[in-house]
Every structure is written in C-alpha cells, then in structure tokens.
Amino acid sequence: MYRIAAPYTLSAANHWSWLPQRLARIVQARAYSIQRLKKPTYRHPRTSIRSPPPPGQKDGIVLEQSQSLSADVLRFRQETDLISRELPADPKNLQTWIAEFLRLGKNKLLDSHDSAQTARTLHNLHRKHKSSTTFQRSLHGLIENVRRAFALGTIPSAAQVPLHLLSYYKESDHHDQGIEFWKWLSERDDAILDPIFVGPAIELLAVYGADLQHCEDVFERTLLQQENISSQYQLQSGSIVPDRSRAVQISGTSLSLLQGILSARLLSGKWQSSYLTLDTAFRLHPTQIVPRFLDLFVYERPIFEALPVFFMFCRGGNRVSKVTFATMLDNLKKLADHTSSPSTKVGVVRAMFQMVEAYTGSAGVLNSRHLNILTRAVVCAMPRVPATVCTESSGSDEGIVMVVFDLFKRLFAYFAQHNALPDPITFHGTIPKALSLGYPLLAKILFDDMVILDLSPSVPTAESLMTAAGLLQDAELLKIAWRYITRCSERQTPNPHSWRTMTISAKRCGLGSFAEEQLRLFDSEIALSAMQAGNNDCVDSARLGKGKQAQIDANDALNFRNACTEMLELIHRMMRFQPGDFRDFQNHPFNEANLLTWPDNAEESWQRKLYDELTQDKEHENRHPTSPDGADDQKPLAVSNTGVRFDELRYLNWKAINSLLVQAEQSDKRVKTSTGVAAWNGRASPKVKTTKSTSGVRCAISIEQLQTYLHAIRKEKARGLGEDDWRELILRLRKPEHDFQKF
C-alpha cells in the first residue's frame, strides 16, 4: 500500500535531508497497522493467516462459523489419530469417519496432509484385519468412496493417496479396480506421473500380468518427466555417483520407483536387470533401502541368492522385517531337513546363526518364532546314533548332548533379552526329533525346561515321546509321556491312537503289566480294541524303526561339536549388546566363508581396479580430494549406523552384486538344462517347492536342487579365472538390457 520512493540522490548539501521524510512514513505505517489490529478480523479455517473479512459478511457471524468449522476439523483429525491406533476398529465408526472426511473435503476445509493421513490409515487397517472377511468387505466400500472423491476432486489432492490406494488394490487382489484407477491417473490431460505412486502402479501392473515392456515404458516415461536431470541419470543402471564417500542428494521417492520396476523384472524372470536395479538402489541409498526390496528376492529367487542380499541389507543397517527374517530361517531349515549330508546340515545351521548376528546387529528384534526355527534346526543337524547304545548310562553321545544343552541354555538366555521366551512349539518340534535321533538325555533336559517354564506337551508330542521311548526301550520316559496324555485327557479315556502307541512302546520296553494296569484303570472298550491292534502291530519291526539307524561317525560328531562351540562364542559376543542397538560391522566378514555362499575367485586388486574404472567420477574427486579420515574436506565422510563408511559400503555391495550375477547365470543355465532334458524325454519339469508370498506370487525355494547347487559351489571354488576373463565376464553381466535415453 505504501510504496518506497525513487532512490534519493545524495549530495553534500542534502546528505541528511531524507531522514525526516523517512521517519514520517514509518510512523504513518505503524499507525495504520495499529488501526487494523483494532478491527474484527476473519481467521481462515484452513490456515492461520489473518485477513480482512470477506465483503458482504458480518464479522461476528464469520467468526462464529470459523470457530465451529475449525472445531469440526480438529475433531476429525483426532478421530483419524484414534482410528489409526485402535485395534480392532468398528466398521460403523469407520463409516461415520469417512463420511465426515468427504463432507469436510467437499467444503474445502481440509488440506493435502489430511487426505494423505486418511489414505494411509485405510491402508494400514487393511493390513491389520486381513483375516476378517466381513471387515474387508466393509473397508473396500469405504476405499471406493475415497477413490471416487479423489477422481472428482472433492478432496484435497496428495500424491500419497494414489500411493496407498494402488498398494491396497494390489495386496487385496482387487486388481481390476486398481488397473482402472491407474488408467485414469495416467491418461489425464495434465497427467504428471509422480514417482511416489508410479512404483506401486508398476508393481500392480506386473502382478496383474502386464507385459514387461509396458512396465518399462511407464518407468522410462516417469524418468523423462523428472525436472532434475541428475535424478534422471542416477536412476539408470551403471550411473556414477559424484562422491562415493557421501550420500547422494536425490529424492527418496526414487526408491519407490526402483521397487516397482524391480518387481516387474523379477516376476518376468529377468534376473540380470533385476540385480542391476538392486545395484542402483544400493549405490544411491545404501542405508535407506526399504524392506520390500529384500522381500522380493526372498519370495521370487532361490534362498541361495536371497542370503547375500540379506547380508547386504544388514551390513548397511537397513531394516529387515521380522516376518521376512523368519521366512528365510525357515527356508534354510527346510534345506537342512532335505539333505542327508551331516556337514551340509551343520553348514546350514552355522549360516542361520550368522544371520541372527547380522539381523540383531542392524537393530533387529527377535521373537519366539525365530527361536523355534533355530532350536529345531540345531536338533536336526545332530548326528544320528543307534538306539542300542543311546541310553542315559552310555557315554557315546553324552558330549554332544551336553554341548547342545549349553547351546540351548545360552540361546534361551539371549532371546530372553529380546523378551522372547520359549513356547510349547519350541519343545513340540525339538523333543520328538531328538528322541527319534537317539538322544533321550536331551529330551529329558528339554522336559525339565518345560516344567520350569510351566509348559505342558500336547497330546501329539507326548505320543511322539512314547514312540521314541519304545524305540529306545526307556520305561521311565514312557511312563512320563503317558502321564501327560492322561492329564490332557482330563480323567477321560485317551484317544485310540494314544492307547495303540502306548501298547506298542510298552511291549518294546517290557512293560506289559503297565499297559494292562492302565486298561483296568480306565475300563474302556475303545482302549481294549486299540490295545489289541497295538499288540498285533508289535510283530512289524519296521514300524519301530529297527535296523534303520546307522552308527555315529566320529568325524560328523567332531564337526558338530566344533560348530556348536563356534555358535556359543557367537551368542556370547551378541549378548554384550542391548536389543535394538546397531553394532560396528566394519571389517566384519559376515557370510563370505560360509558353505552356502557363492565363491568369489577374483583377486582383490582386480576388483578394486575395475570398480574404480566403472564407478569413479575422476573430475569430481580431483576437484574435491578427500583424505582417508576426511580431514581435508569441509564435510565429514558419511558412515552407516553399523560403522561402515559409505565408500567401503558401496564397494562391498558392488562385489556382492557381481557374485550374485554370476550365481544367477549358473542357476538359470541349470534350470534351462534340466527343463530341456525333461521335455526331450517326455517327463515333467523338475519340481520346485513353491509357497505364496504377500504379493500373491510364487516363491521358489529350490529345495530339491540343494545338492546340485553345492556341487556347483565346489566346482566354482576349484575353477580359476584370469584377470582378463574375469573382467570380460563382469562387464558382460553388468551391461544393461535396456538402453534408455542418455542424459
């Protein structure tokens, strides 16, 4: 309102003549401001900016309406926060809440943050109540109302809204509606594809079955719409970061876009471009990778390839979900169960404990499910001993039992630090397996632990104990197991299978009188018929496992004891740290020397030379030289939460990607060869056990290819490549399959 006059020309005569005029203007401006403050003002309900009342409205009425509307907005936001925290949610309250959201949005009283928070809350509600079909049906109707309002523009626009809606459609298997929503987003006249929701859209297209080329076109179109040319370049495979020792200044939404195209490439079987995409993500944000990246490799690639990716995550301090970690442990345990080699079993268990160290070192928290899998894997790796010598008095297995007892005692104590105590499942899986392998002393020790924890075995577990007692001819163990069965039956007659098992085991233990005594005690026709069937089955020695157990091997026993000693030392080292804390992983070997890791035969000098050639920005580093400790630069060198410098972290990740590319190529060749041979001979393709992942796609565990894989590892370790051959191999595997526009 008051404009500053033109610049005043100063001279020796009027050098101070401008001062009274300027002071007068300042006084007038302050007087006007004081006069404005005395008038009634109108406060906009959406912001805190004070402005004069709109023309034609009375000040008092406007103030009253604005206060009422502000109260409605505040009440809605409080309700949103309450719903996001409350479990379970009432569908009626959700309907009222969404109706209020649509009303306030239509009246232009909300902002983009309210829309984003509402969409996020609806998405989280879907994840928390997946098991409730009725709730999901009601929730789907509410999400459809929000989608229609967003398309009509009656609610504030926010990029997070399509992000959560597209993710919901993918996870809830409403793919048709999700594809329809995506078409509307991409075909608008002013369609600007935001990377924050294009990533979930590409993943939805891949799950829906869209062609990979279509997903690549969407990915490239999104890159071309980026305003920052540097962001366009950095998202390409093989790009070079300006400074390898520091973080890259690029939007975090780039990870969402990379996650989407990674899903499309993995689902299409393009392992080479998938690993190059993972390499790009770890090069840009080595410490900020979202857990979904690891989930994709766990559920879409063999466990042998997912294992190095897991260690890459943990080395950089990236978060790993508890469910994904449990899935990986369970897949490794299945590998141990399906191999007959004792050394392989021990190697798998050793890898599982190394995973625990890496997971907890990156601030991961353990739970009871992790403990259940580990204890069962340890028992499964124990060398089998014959039943004729496996008694409490024999000392052939006492050393193994005691070292396992010490390992379990230390393991239980460590998990107790994470508030994860053994549950009945822990003992239901270990006791029958220990007894079937011929370790009754370990079974009794585990029984004592159950008593201390006030836990009781289930009927199937007690029946397994009785079967094992019969195999080992342990009368005391038989009586204890039968006591638990009768206690679970609550003074009623146990089921026929329990009677039958008890009869067979009692016959083997020479306790025929004990079986007859129990029959007189319960006096049941069902028990009598079951016992008669059990007596008839006693003649079948094969059912009792007679002659099926081989003698224990001294080398296997020594290998197992040494592995248990190493795992005890590892647990002792982990117990020095508090749960949820990061550990210093600088110079930590992780899983490089493990049996399951693909060997890297290249010399360190070769790898450093090629790494510098492919990733070093010489012009930038010449302009900004840095010393090893960063003392010559204004900014300190970036370090991960796990104590690893970014330049070293990027180099280790680059090496891991090279090994994965070589390994994936070998795996792909083996699969194609076995499939081609089967088709030529008119047989079915080799079986690969599959499970269902969170995205509804298959999970290749490749259990039946374990021996082939281990044979390939031994062959690869014996093979030596020259520097030129190795360089040619890495350059060929690192060549991008898609050449986008050069920036």
Side-chain angles (χ1 to χ4, degrees):
M1 181 174 295
Y2 293 94
R3 295 181 299 173
I4 301 297
Y8 195 85
T9 303
L10 298 180
S11 63
N14 59 8
H15 185 74
W16 297 102
S17 61
W18 61 274
L19 183 58
Q21 299 177 9
R22 180 61 59 86
L23 289 176
R25 290 176 180 174
I26 293 175
V27 171
Q28 291 178 1
R30 289 183 176 178
Y32 178 79
S33 300
I34 295 173
Q35 186 179 5
R36 284 189 58 195
L37 291 175
K38 293 180 179 179
K39 294 182 179 181
T41 55
Y42 167 74
R43 183 179 294 274
H44 197 276
R46 291 175 58 188
T47 64
S48 59
I49 300 176
R50 300 178 68 88
S51 60
Q57 294 187 0
K58 296 182 180 181
D59 298 337
I61 297 178
V62 172
L63 280 173
E64 183 178 354
Q65 291 179 352
S66 64
Q67 292 175 0
S68 176
L69 294 175
S70 299
D72 290 342
V73 174
L74 180 60
R75 192 162 42 247
F76 166 76
R77 291 172 178 172
Q78 292 175 347
E79 184 69 16
T80 302
D81 183 68
L82 180 63
I83 291 176
S84 63
R85 300 169 182 268
E86 185 177 313
L87 280 176
D90 188 359
K92 294 183 179 179
N93 293 340
L94 294 181
Q95 294 177 1
T96 306
W97 169 61
I98 291 297
E100 184 69 7
F101 167 69
L102 298 178
R103 183 184 71 83
L104 294 175
K106 188 175 182 180
N107 293 333
K108 310 297 181 183
L109 301 176
L110 301 176
D111 53 23
S112 59
H113 175 75
D114 295 316
S115 298
Q117 183 66 20
T118 301
R120 184 184 302 109
T121 302
L122 290 172
H123 190 194
N124 291 336
L125 285 173
H126 161 70
R127 291 175 171 175
K128 294 177 182 178
H129 300 275
K130 283 186 176 181
S131 58
S132 177
T133 305
T134 304
F135 182 85
Q136 291 294 332
R137 191 182 301 112
S138 175
L139 182 65
H140 179 69
L142 299 178
I143 292 179
E144 285 297 292
N145 294 337
V146 174
R147 179 180 67 89
R148 285 190 288 267
F150 180 83
L152 294 174
T154 58
I155 60 175
S157 179
Q160 289 81 359
V161 175
L163 162 69
H164 292 289
L165 293 183
L166 290 170
S167 300
Y168 162 77
Y169 288 129
K170 175 181 66 71
E171 296 172 6
S172 62
D173 294 336
H174 291 93
H175 298 157
D176 293 334
Q177 294 168 327
I179 294 298
E180 180 184 355
F181 182 49
W182 163 246
K183 288 182 178 179
W184 175 83
L185 287 171
S186 59
E187 295 176 358
R188 293 177 298 172
D189 296 335
D190 58 342
I192 301 298
L193 301 182
D194 195 320
I196 194 173
F197 65 78
V198 173
I202 295 177
E203 192 168 356
L204 174 64
L205 290 170
V207 174
Y208 187 71
D211 185 70
L212 176 61
Q213 186 58 45
H214 177 64
C215 298
E216 296 286 356
D217 293 341
V218 175
F219 177 70
E220 184 177 2
R221 174 187 170 187
T222 308
L223 287 184
L224 294 176
Q225 289 184 352
Q226 296 292 307
E227 297 180 358
N228 191 346
I229 300 298
S230 176
S231 299
Q232 298 176 0
Y233 167 73
Q234 291 295 343
L235 292 177
Q236 301 292 322
S237 298
S239 60
I240 299 176
V241 297
D243 191 346
R244 297 178 298 183
S245 61
R246 292 181 175 84
V248 177
Q249 300 301 325
I250 185 174
S251 174
T253 57
S254 59
L255 287 179
S256 176
L257 187 60
L258 290 175
Q259 174 187 322
I261 195 62
L262 175 62
S263 302
R265 291 168 178 173
L266 274 177
L267 290 176
S268 300
K270 300 296 182 180
W271 54 266
Q272 182 179 2
S273 57
S274 299
Y275 280 117
L276 292 180
T277 305
L278 182 68
D279 179 63
T280 302
F282 272 100
R283 181 173 60 253
L284 296 178
H285 304 286
T287 61
Q288 302 175 17
I289 311 298
V290 294
R292 179 61 180 163
F293 276 80
L294 178 60
D295 297 347
L296 291 170
F297 285 93
V298 170
Y299 292 113
E300 301 302 332
R301 297 299 299 176
I303 185 61
F304 315 111
E305 297 179 24
L307 194 60
V309 178
F310 167 81
F311 284 106
M312 291 171 63
F313 262 74
C314 296
R315 183 187 286 114
N318 298 284
R319 188 175 67 88
V320 178
S321 69
K322 297 179 181 179
V323 177
T324 303
F325 181 59
T327 301
M328 295 189 68
L329 289 178
D330 193 49
N331 290 346
L332 284 175
K333 179 191 170 296
K334 291 176 182 177
L335 293 179
D337 292 340
H338 286 77
T339 179
S340 58
S341 172
S343 60
T344 303
K345 291 178 181 288
V346 174
V348 170
V349 175
R350 186 185 288 111
M352 294 172 68
F353 274 79
Q354 291 176 351
M355 288 179 61
V356 173
E357 182 184 20
Y359 174 73
T360 55
S362 60
V365 180
L366 301 169
N367 57 27
S368 297
R369 184 185 177 191
H370 304 149
L371 178 61
N372 299 339
I373 300 173
L374 285 173
T375 52
R376 293 201 304 269
V378 170
V379 173
C380 177
M382 297 174 67
R384 186 185 294 271
V385 294
T388 55
V389 299
C390 283
T391 62
E392 295 185 31
S393 58
S394 65
S396 60
D397 64 327
E398 185 174 353
I400 295 178
V401 170
M402 295 312 298
V403 73
V404 172
F405 168 67
D406 292 339
L407 178 62
F408 280 2
K409 182 173 63 175
R410 190 73 60 85
L411 189 64
F412 290 166
Y414 178 64
F415 271 79
Q417 293 182 355
H418 292 254
N419 295 324
L421 298 177
D423 56 17
I425 300 178
T426 304
F427 301 98
H428 294 168
T430 54
I431 290 176
K433 186 65 177 179
L435 289 169
S436 64
L437 292 175
Y439 295 94
L441 180 59
L442 178 60
K444 291 186 177 182
I445 292 174
L446 293 176
F447 257 123
D448 295 337
D449 292 339
M450 292 190 71
V451 173
I452 294 174
L453 295 172
D454 197 19
L455 300 175
S456 299
S458 62
V459 172
T461 301
E463 290 176 352
S464 299
L465 292 175
M466 289 193 303
T467 302
L471 290 171
L472 302 176
Q473 300 180 3
D474 191 330
E476 185 64 23
L477 185 60
L478 171 64
K479 294 180 180 180
I480 294 175
W482 180 252
R483 190 181 307 123
Y484 276 107
I485 288 180
T486 56
R487 185 181 304 173
C488 293
S489 301
E490 297 181 354
R491 298 183 179 181
Q492 296 181 1
T493 302
N495 62 72
H497 186 267
S498 299
W499 280 103
R500 186 175 180 177
T501 305
M502 187 270 291
T503 304
I504 297 175
S505 300
K507 191 74 172 179
R508 292 282 298 175
C509 296
L511 294 178
S513 59
F514 174 78
E516 296 176 356
E517 179 183 353
Q518 297 300 316
L519 178 61
R520 291 193 300 269
L521 181 63
F522 285 93
D523 192 16
S524 171
E525 295 181 359
I526 298 178
L528 179 60
S529 59
M531 289 183 64
Q532 292 176 353
N535 288 325
N536 295 333
D537 291 338
C538 286
V539 298
D540 188 1
S541 60
R543 293 178 59 87
L544 299 175
K546 191 173 183 179
K548 289 188 176 181
Q549 294 177 324
Q551 294 290 333
I552 187 172
D553 185 85
N555 293 329
D556 294 340
L558 180 61
N559 185 27
F560 180 79
R561 291 178 186 176
N562 293 336
C564 288
T565 303
E566 295 177 6
M567 290 182 285
L568 278 169
E569 295 176 356
L570 187 147
I571 296 174
H572 179 71
R573 187 166 62 248
M574 292 190 297
M575 293 184 71
R576 302 174 186 173
F577 304 92
Q578 294 296 324
D581 291 346
F582 289 97
R583 267 169 248 164
D584 188 359
F585 283 159
Q586 185 73 21
N587 302 322
H588 195 289
F590 276 115
N591 204 42
E592 276 73 0
N594 191 269
L595 177 65
L596 300 178
T597 305
W598 193 262
D600 195 347
N601 296 327
E603 296 183 5
E604 187 70 16
S605 59
W606 304 352
Q607 302 187 64
R608 279 287 183 182
K609 180 180 177 181
L610 184 59
Y611 175 71
D612 291 338
E613 179 182 336
L614 297 179
T615 65
Q616 187 176 23
D617 188 349
K618 297 182 179 180
E619 295 182 1
H620 176 84
E621 296 190 4
N622 290 334
R623 293 193 306 267
H624 306 279
T626 57
S627 63
D629 56 356
D632 297 336
D633 203 290
Q634 296 179 356
K635 299 180 181 179
L637 297 180
V639 181
S640 68
N641 291 328
T642 53
V644 186
R645 288 179 10 182
F646 270 37
D647 52 353
E648 185 67 17
L649 188 59
R650 287 188 169 108
Y651 172 64
L652 294 174
N653 293 336
W654 181 84
K655 289 174 56 178
I657 293 295
N658 291 342
S659 179
L660 285 168
L661 286 169
V662 176
Q663 178 180 351
E665 184 180 44
Q666 298 297 325
S667 300
D668 187 62
K669 289 181 180 179
R670 290 195 301 271
V671 171
K672 289 182 179 180
T673 301
S674 58
T675 303
V677 171
W680 179 264
N681 295 329
R683 300 194 306 268
S685 300
K687 295 182 180 180
V688 177
K689 186 171 182 179
T690 60
T691 58
K692 200 169 185 180
S693 67
T694 55
S695 61
V697 293
R698 66 180 181 83
C699 157
I701 299 177
S702 303
I703 291 177
E704 299 180 357
Q705 299 180 4
L706 174 62
Q707 298 298 337
T708 305
Y709 173 80
L710 296 176
H711 175 72
I713 284 183
R714 289 189 289 268
K715 184 178 179 181
E716 182 68 20
K717 287 182 178 180
R719 185 169 71 108
L721 288 178
E723 181 179 1
D724 295 337
D725 295 336
W726 176 84
R727 175 188 173 88
E728 181 181 357
L729 172 65
I730 298 302
L731 291 177
R732 176 177 60 82
L733 293 175
R734 280 190 167 271
K735 182 180 180 181
E737 295 184 7
H738 303 87
D739 293 328
F740 296 122
Q741 177 179 346
K742 304 301 180 182
F743 302 104

